[in-house]
């Protein structure tokens, strides 16, 4: 009887779904699915609409929030009521004050423009963390161990046992540390996150994590153990400059909140009852690697009954007085595994394994051998031209794992508080013959959800796309870094700025950037200057004048603006607004009355093309040109941002300021005939992209850029020009030149590294020179994402997926695929917050077929290249007959039209 009832119910639900044709999925809160440990008191909710009818827009929503899934109607914490709105994300919770450590369930229903009403969504939830400093009952503790702070020390271990009288109904652990932590309860590792609590500007704030530990606790005896590592807090990264004024001891703060089935509660905290010791990790350092002696393991030390009578006490330490914040970004996780693809012996006699991919993370290995045997594993990105293991470009970073066996059957090992950037590794001291099967590469990075799939008919461009995405993986480890391997690995602002658009296409990075940008606020100088790296660990190297480089510091404006463009996130604009204004004021003060910022102490167009020829000085773009161009650009963006935030006076003041900078720029750097001094690709690209050229001269200026490109036959730009040049060309009628640059295989070009086997983006156009020798080891990374900024052009131009700055978050999509080069097909899928946007095209026998998916609750303008209205078929009908399309018009060689959501296939013969 019951089964019959269930089947009928399921059938009715299905029928309902089919007929209503409108449903909701992918509920998120602050970009996350069912997040724990939030401290955003006005979280933003989002959902995706699915509809069977074309041209569907949301017209209203209703959100209900409640303390359980049964009281949405009867006892909601917030009921938005039916709210007329097309907003399907960034919907701000607007109910009663949210309470610490409380879970809130929510559901949503929507209405659309075809008078459909959806069912209620499946419920989702979010859970608050500890909202106030007062909620922390735990005290900071540190091990009572002798350490020599002039060298790397063994990783301390801290433990405690406790009894629980009743059955646990639910339990949460809130934990953070100065240094990294690895947390175990009753012999099991808690959670899957690694490199916790992550990297923030430790002088001011630190993240904490929340774990559901209900299943790890039991009635009776329990034990907790935490190992601490140096990480970003101390160790070679932070010590290099010996600059941060702070106490360098590792510390722990942990609080476990337990609710029993009998309704009682208990809290376990870090306090003076804990014990401490050192163990097998003799050294673990981000750059240096790890030294582990398995003979020193304390077996079962995180289980109850372990004898810690010989362990040391702990010291309760003063509260460091910094903000303890819930993470805005995704956790760092072990994301995927790779197996080595080859093993060989180098001419110098090293046993070398090849992972087939320049990866970031570490090796897990299994080994069996006599007690006391010591293995050494070193990691490198490349082999030299003779096939020997090459580590010079790692500079001080040793990236070495040393493991001593305890001789107890097969042992499986992974390092703890370090990671390596590598494609190759060499093994010494292995008992017997190491085999491919003994090793697994564990790829580690922030769990940013991939949102872009791109492929086309040219395998080299597909490899380029692969390299761009792997560059992002390896350099998105809680902070956007320059590189993951040498002794640097810092949050270089300029690198992040130039790559931001590509990064936003590739993955959901809104939370990731939000977290980092908040550190930027803390690190900003009184003067308004933004340090070159955030978190700023180069404190002593960054006196005021070295701080505030154009293109680098502008990250404070450009990245929030980019996040706003991709995710319609106005909150990040408000959060960053004061910092942006301070930065503009800094530039204004430094530029003075003539608005030309003659700052010589700049980084400029970093790593631009430099020739060996004595007659050619290199593509050098004057720093004051760049500084003034960026001054105008950021000021213009801040004017727009002020307008969006309703700060009308600021908007006007910054618009006026931008006009003044623009006039000064034109007067200083441009002839009446549109020629720029300096006459470089970067100069033209900056001026055109930042709208610094008078309308009447734009075409002329663009033609000069194209002429320069044709004269050289290759790119000459560095970090600042590279992300802009291709769009400047294709947007100004020089598509062929843009494709020529993209398809070029010889140095300097994007594809040259691929001819040398690159699997990530290189820092320099010639990391490996055409003669097989290397660029200078003082600066030669094989995993730097900056030049990967070409991804932005590929997605926008080849497959034509563009946002409309005036309708951010891809509410209005501008599809403008521009086939070129020798491509015969290309396709891309970008998972926007409205749902997947797809564009794929193919050219066969002169027929162009373009298939587009426009998500529900968005609309699109579509530009069909080389088309004539009468020849176009859409979904097998003529264009005019298709009701969902409107505003169809011929514009030169292109046909433009507007459409609502749906799936469309356009087909026509390309005009000659
Ligand atoms: C980093 C860069 C950075 C540059 C600026 C380099 O060492 O690796 O990517 O932007 O310094 O000085």
């Amino acid at each position: 009887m019951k089964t019959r009832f269930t089947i009928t119910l399921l059938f009715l639900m299905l029928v309902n779904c089919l007929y209503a044709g409108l449903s909701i999925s992918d509920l998120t809160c602050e970009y996350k699915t069912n997040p724990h440990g939030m401290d955003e008191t006005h979280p933003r909710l989002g959902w995706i609409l699915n509809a069977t009818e074309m041209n569907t827009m949301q017209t209203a929503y209703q959100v209900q929030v409640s303390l359980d899934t049964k009281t949405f109607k009867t006892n909601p914490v917030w009921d938005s009521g039916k709210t007329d709105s097309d907003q399907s994300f960034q919907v701000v919770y607007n109910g009663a004050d949210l309470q610490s450590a409380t879970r809130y369930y929510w559901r949503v229903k929507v209405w659309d423009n075809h008078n459909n009403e959806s069912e209620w969504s499946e419920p989702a939830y979010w859970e608050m963390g500890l909202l106030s400093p007062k909620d922390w009952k735990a005290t900071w503790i540190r091990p009572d161990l002798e350490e020599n702070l002039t060298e790397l020390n063994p990783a301390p271990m801290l433990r405690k046992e406790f009894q629980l009288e009743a059955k646990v109904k639910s339990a949460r652990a809130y934990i953070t540390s100065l240094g990294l932590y690895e947390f175990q309860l009753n012999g099991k590792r808690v959670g899957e996150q690694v490199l916790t609590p992550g990297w923030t500007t430790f002088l001011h704030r630190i993240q904490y994590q929340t774990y559901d530990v209900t299943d790890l606790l039991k009635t009776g005896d329990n034990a907790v153990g935490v190992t601490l590592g140096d990480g970003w807090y101390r160790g070679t990264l932070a010590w290099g400059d010996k600059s941060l004024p702070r106490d360098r001891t590792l510390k722990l703060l942990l609080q476990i909140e337990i609710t029993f089935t009998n309704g009682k509660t208990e809290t376990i905290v870090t306090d003076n009852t804990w014990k401490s010791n050192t163990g097998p990790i003799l050294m673990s350092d981000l750059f240096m690697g790890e030294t582990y002696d398995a003979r020193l393991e304390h077996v079962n030390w995180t289980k109850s009954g372990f004898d810690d009578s010989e362990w040391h006490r702990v010291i309760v330490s003063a509260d460091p007085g910094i903000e303890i914040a819930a993470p805005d970004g995704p956790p760092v996780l072990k994301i995927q595994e790779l197996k080595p693809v080859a093993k060989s012996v180098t001419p110098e006699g090293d046993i070398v394994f090849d992972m087939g991919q320049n990866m970031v993370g570490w090796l897990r290995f299994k080994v069996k051998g006599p007690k006391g045997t010591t293995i050494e594993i070193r990691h490198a990105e490349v082999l030299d031209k003779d096939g020997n293991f090459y580590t010079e470009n790692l500079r001080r970073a040793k990236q070495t794992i040393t493991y001593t066996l305890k001789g107890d059957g097969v042992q499986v090992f992974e390092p703890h508080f370090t990671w390596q950037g590598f494609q190759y590794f060499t093994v010494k001291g292995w008992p017997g013959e190491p085999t491919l099967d003994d090793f697994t590469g564990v790829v580690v990075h922030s769990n940013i959800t991939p949102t872009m799939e791109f492929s086309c008919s040219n395998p080299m461009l597909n490899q380029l796309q692969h390299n761009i995405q792997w560059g992002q993986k390896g350099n998105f480890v809680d902070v956007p870094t320059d590189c993951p391997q040498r002794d640097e690995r810092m949050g270089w602002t300029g690198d992040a700025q130039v790559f931001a658009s590509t990064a936003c296409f590739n993955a959901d990075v809104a939370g990731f950037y939000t977290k980092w940008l908040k550190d930027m606020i803390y690190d900003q100088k009184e003067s308004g200057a933004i340090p070159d790296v955030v978190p700023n660990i180069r404190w002593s190297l960054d006196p005021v004048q070295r701080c505030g480089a154009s293109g680098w510091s502008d990250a404070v404006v450009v990245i929030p603006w980019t996040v706003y463009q991709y995710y319609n996130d106005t909150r990040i604009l408000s959060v960053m607004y004061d910092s942006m204004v301070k930065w503009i004021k800094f530039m204004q003060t430094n530029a003075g009355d003539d608005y030309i910022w003659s700052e010589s102490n700049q980084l400029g167009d970093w790593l631009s093309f430099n020739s060996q020829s004595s007659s050619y000085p290199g593509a050098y773009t004057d720093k004051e040109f760049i500084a003034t161009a960026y001054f105008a650009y950021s000021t213009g963006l801040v004017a727009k941002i002020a307008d969006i935030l309703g700060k009308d006076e600021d908007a006007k003041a910054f618009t006026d300021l931008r006009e003044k900078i623009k006039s000064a720029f034109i007067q200083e750097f441009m002839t009446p005939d549109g020629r720029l001094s300096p006459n470089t690709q970067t100069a033209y690209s900056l001026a055109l992209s930042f709208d610094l050229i008078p309308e009447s001269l734009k075409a002329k200026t663009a033609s000069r850029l194209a002429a320069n490109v044709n004269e050289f036959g290759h790119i000459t730009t560095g970090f600042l020009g590279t992300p802009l040049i291709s769009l400047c060309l294709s947007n100004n009628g020089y598509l062929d030149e843009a494709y020529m640059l993209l398809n070029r295989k010889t140095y300097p070009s994007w594809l040259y590294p691929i001819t040398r086997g690159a699997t990530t983006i290189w820092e320099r156009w010639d990391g490996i020179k055409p003669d097989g020798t290397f660029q200078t080891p003082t600066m030669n990374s094989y995993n730097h994402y900056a030049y990967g900024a070409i991804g932005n052009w590929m997605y926008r131009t080849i497959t034509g997926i563009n946002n409309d700055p005036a309708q951010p978050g891809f509410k209005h999509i501008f599809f403008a695929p521009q086939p070129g080069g020798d491509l015969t097909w290309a396709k891309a899928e970008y998972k926007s917050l409205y749902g997947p946007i797809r564009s794929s095209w193919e050219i066969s026998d002169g027929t162009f077929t373009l298939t587009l998916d426009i998500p529900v609750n968005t609309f699109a303008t579509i530009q069909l290249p080389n088309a004539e209205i009468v020849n176009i078929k859409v979904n097998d009908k003529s264009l005019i007959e298709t009701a969902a399309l409107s505003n169809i018009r011929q514009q030169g060689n292109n046909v433009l039209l507007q459409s609502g959501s749906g799936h469309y296939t356009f087909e026509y013969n390309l005009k000659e």
Side-chain angles (χ1 to χ4, degrees), residues 395 481-483 486 488-490 492-495 532-533 538 546 552 603 606-607 719 763 778-779 781 784 786:
R395 306 193 307 212
T481 56
D482 57 336
C483 60
R486 69 177 179 223
E488 193 141 353
R489 311 184 189 188
M490 293 193 282
W492 280 95
T493 47
D495 306 41
D532 296 347
V533 298
R538 305 175 77 232
R546 241 328 268 117
W552 271 251
L603 295 167
W606 191 252
L607 298 183
F719 272 32
E763 178 176 24
T778 55
M779 213 175 61
S781 140
H784 242 69

Side-chain angles (χ1 to χ4, degrees), residues 363-510:
L363 288 168
R364 180 171 65 235
F365 56 82
K366 54 179 196 286
V367 60
K368 190 174 168 196
K371 184 172 179 176
T373 311
T374 296
I375 301 163
E376 186 191 81
I377 303 178
R378 293 191 302 131
H379 303 73
E381 287 186 291
V382 287
L383 302 181
D384 72 14
K385 71 179 178 13
D386 302 318
N388 288 313
F389 202 67
Y390 179 81
T391 55
E392 259 184 86
N393 68 324
L394 305 177
R395 306 193 307 212
R396 270 184 320 142
K398 291 213 162 47
Q399 298 211 123
T400 301
I401 303 297
T402 308
Y403 180 80
T404 302
L405 278 71
K406 63 182 172 192
D408 187 12
V410 176
Q411 292 155 44
V412 178
F413 179 75
E414 279 181 44
H416 300 80
F417 303 115
T418 181
W419 78 78
Q420 288 74 48
F422 67 106
Q423 175 168 349
Y424 301 93
F425 61 95
T426 171
V427 181
K428 273 204 187 109
W430 194 267
E433 266 296 302
T435 67
L436 297 184
D437 184 49
D438 294 329
F439 300 92
T440 303
V442 181
V443 177
V444 171
H445 57 84
S446 287
N447 191 22
I448 44 175
T449 310
T451 48
M452 171 56 76
E453 281 173 43
F454 169 94
S455 56
C456 65
S457 57
N458 182 342
M460 286 187 88
L461 294 183
N462 295 338
Q463 182 67 42
L464 176 61
Q465 163 67 2
H466 170 101
N467 295 5
I468 294 169
Q469 290 187 322
W470 274 84
Q472 182 162 353
K473 278 162 167 281
N475 285 299
F476 272 54
V477 182
D478 212 38
V479 160
T481 56
D482 57 336
C483 60
Q485 73 300 79
R486 69 177 179 223
D487 57 343
E488 193 141 353
R489 311 184 189 188
M490 293 193 282
W492 280 95
T493 47
D495 306 41
Q497 186 266 116
V498 300
F499 189 64
S501 233
T502 304
C504 288
F505 262 128
N506 281 337
D508 176 356
V509 291

Side-chain angles (χ1 to χ4, degrees), residues 222-389:
N222 291 270
V224 50
V226 179
T227 310
L228 298 178
D230 294 349
W232 293 283
Y233 181 66
R234 66 178 201 183
T236 49
L237 171 87
W239 286 17
D241 300 322
K242 292 198 169 28
S243 52
L244 283 185
R246 56 153 194 255
D247 153 26
R248 289 208 170 90
T249 47
L250 303 179
K251 295 188 184 83
L252 173 68
L253 184 72
L254 167 64
Q255 180 161 321
I256 308 176
E257 299 277 2
I258 304 162
T259 307
F260 298 102
T261 47
N262 63 13
K264 292 195 173 151
T265 59
E266 188 164 341
T267 307
I268 307 294
V269 294
T270 39
D271 57 19
N272 61 4
T273 61
W274 286 57
K275 292 286 198 78
S276 64
N277 206 347
T278 55
I281 304 176
L282 298 178
M283 175 280 278
S284 194
D285 177 80
L286 297 183
F287 295 161
M288 297 303 165
E290 183 162 316
T291 303
Y292 188 96
D293 188 338
R295 295 170 302 179
L296 303 177
E297 284 172 358
H298 299 287
V299 179
N300 292 335
W301 73 284
T302 64
K303 289 190 176 162
S304 61
F306 174 82
D307 177 10
D308 63 11
S309 53
E310 303 285 299
W311 282 43
H312 305 256
R313 53 184 201 116
V314 297
I315 297 172
V316 170
S317 25
D319 189 318
I322 56 179
E323 183 196 337
I324 303 179
D328 290 299
V332 180
L333 298 178
K334 301 179 194 180
I335 302 282
Q336 73 190 92
E337 298 195 342
L338 303 177
K339 289 303 275 182
V341 295
K343 173 184 159 186
S344 59
V345 177
T346 67
E348 284 173 357
D350 290 319
I351 303 175
V352 165
F353 290 81
D354 178 0
M355 296 304 298
Q357 171 65 47
N358 195 8
M359 59 162 278
V360 174
W362 51 73
L363 288 168
R364 180 171 65 235
F365 56 82
K366 54 179 196 286
V367 60
K368 190 174 168 196
K371 184 172 179 176
T373 311
T374 296
I375 301 163
E376 186 191 81
I377 303 178
R378 293 191 302 131
H379 303 73
E381 287 186 291
V382 287
L383 302 181
D384 72 14
K385 71 179 178 13
D386 302 318
N388 288 313
F389 202 67

